[in-house]
Amino acid sequence: MKKYANHYNKGGGNLVGKCACLLAAGLLLASAPALAGEGPEGLVRYVDPTIGTGGHGHVFLGANVPFGFVQVGPTMPTRGWDWCSGYHASDSVLLGFAHTHLSGTGCGDLGDIRLLPVGDRTTRETLFSHADETCRPGYYALTINDKQGRHIKAEMTATLRTAIHRYTFDPRQDTARVLIDLEWGTGWDRVTDCHIAQTSPRRLEGWRHSKGWADNQKLFFAMELSQDVMLEKLNADSLVLLSCPNKRGKSLLVKVALSAVSTDNAWRNMKAENPKWRFDKVADQATRDWERQLRKISVKGGETEKTIFYTSLYHSMVAPSVFCDVNGEYRGSDGQVHYADFTNLTTFSLWDTYRAWHPLATLIHPEMQRDIEHTMTTIFQEQQTLPVWHLMGCETNCMVGCPASIVLADLILKGLADNPLLATHAMQHSTGSHRRAHRLLCEHGYIPYDLDNENESVGKGLEYAIAYGCAAKVVDNKELERLGQSYRKYFDTASHFMRAVDSKGTFRPGLDPFAAEQNGIKDYTEGNAWQYIWLVPHDVHGLIGLFGSERAFVEKLDSLFTVNGDLGEGAPPDISGLIGQYAHGNEPSHHVAYLYNYAGQPWKTAERVRQIMTTLYHTGIDGLCGNEDVGQMSAWYILSAMGMYQVDPAGGRFVLGSPLFDEVTMQTGHGRTFTVRATGNSKENIYIQSARLNGRPYTRSYIDFNDIVAGGTLELIMGNRPSDFGTRREDRP
């Protein structure tokens, strides 16, 4: 490891807008293309893609467009959990530039079709300096310096399904060479079949099939170069070297198109999206695409807060990703090729994203909801159950519960479902399929820990209760209602903790509420008893009732943020971002600060959400206190900075907190906007004193989805002391 010294320039954490221009033997390497027509006022200037590339952020760094299938960028050797995206800011070894990546996940995969421009035909990897990187939305560049002191400038940009690279080789180098590696992705998977063929002096095509987190991934590619090249196979079909004369003053361009269906479709994608050799135009269009999406929300406030906010908005639009070709074909969960009249999607981290990302998307991406719904119901038809954690057409079955049911219930209740009958059928069938501990739940009314060696019984049981409870809001079904209340079985009225229960109805003895694992046994999913008390977002008042009084509930909730204890050796790294035992780095805690509103103490919500926003998010490379989880961490910040959060994940009741910005305006579709104006807002004035909705007095400590999407203005009068705003029972969520 010592030879891979960290060359990261600590003074250059924010690389946005930096020019990586170098004078190489008299050759001025061009800087990133300007955002023509936008100038310095574009919102893209606030996006720092390096935030979250260090610590446990696990975010993707590279070039893509919003929700693009192709995410092209640097790939490093896998050295552990923090390399899930294929990149970590602590590392300085480059394997090449791959065309698929994950962003913010807790597992690793992808890193497919890797290219590395090289000066020496024996080079397989190279050291680089983070100071030589430039990244902004839609564009990535790195200047590579080899052992002979020669320079290669690698630039890349993307469309939805294609990438284009521009390699400028040192003029002292007679031959331009590009290594293509199909064998290794990010090191998280293994190739099961790969092939590459040169079909003309400037064209290549092939495929890479692999088994990893996605257990049957099929990826096909088409590749075109701006010069005739010679192909030399170094290791059968998995490792090849392209070479051509290095023409002084002229860059080598490489276009790559992907498809999960066939090489023919990859060529179709290329022809439709990237037919010409206009690198700067493609890069400019990619940045414009990001600018248009970022403009869905405008904010007024501090510059640092804007950087965190718009970087969060950027991170929230890396996935889900387009997973179909321009002709509508896609590879389904059954492994077969299908045609869709909607945009099929992939990369659904649903256990994470049902909590904040999907509610946010219903506000600012209403045009996507039909595609999300149809993707989920189509997956249901192909694999006979709704997706849990879907990746590249494969069900990973990662995490617990039935989170897709929660998302579909939310869409139905908000009137956004295109086919509510099919969605309802999928919800009922999936939550009753007896898979993933359903059988025990349905037979006993809870999941006994002593049957079937069931691990994480409390975590699974509470997540299923949420799914059933949300489904029961859509379907008039007593069994769904009963199982939606099954969370009550785990609640210990003596200790006020959710505890594992055996088949006789007895709590597991010897609870250590701080330990994530005891004697090799986990009762909770990436958490402990302190963090799992509160996982009843669909029935908060029912949970309060179990405590016996609002006072007891609030006292326990207060203690969560102050109590400290040892998580134990078995604690996963996901349990991070701790304030007491509140763990913002992992999703089960994300709604907890907003629970005070339900007990008539919204000023405590204001205090805690301000604390979380200002201490657990910042502009450094480790600016996220946990992994991004495919947009969930960022979605929490976006909603909270706007002053609201949807605690109940189905139905659209957004609980008010403490807006970070003086004014936020959302585009909510159909030409409508909704503005949250915080009058008198400051670091001290964090408490809502009173409110007006569209000019009329407003006394509730929440606001409903329909009131938001109808458009208008919510004015919040802020002050430096708690008030009685939202404290009356009729004004609580």
Side-chain angles (χ1 to χ4, degrees), residues 48 139 195 218 302 345 409 455-456 500 508 518 612 624 668 676:
D48 182 352
Y139 174 87
H195 176 70
K218 297 184 184 297
L345 300 166
N455 208 17
E456 301 181 8
R508 188 196 297 276
Q518 289 184 251
I612 296 165
L624 294 170
T668 59
V676 179

Side-chain angles (χ1 to χ4, degrees), residues 605-624:
T605 287
E607 292 168 355
R608 290 304 180 188
V609 296
R610 279 288 184 116
Q611 179 184 12
I612 296 165
M613 285 189 286
T614 57
T615 63
L616 297 181
Y617 293 82
H618 60 84
T619 58
I621 58 172
D622 58 346
L624 294 170

Side-chain angles (χ1 to χ4, degrees), residues 22-29 149-151 169-173 248:
L22 292 177
L23 284 171
L27 174 66
L28 178 64
L29 301 181
R150 296 174 301 187
H151 311 286
F169 291 85
D170 193 294
R172 294 169 292 180
Q173 187 172 330
R248 278 37 169 202

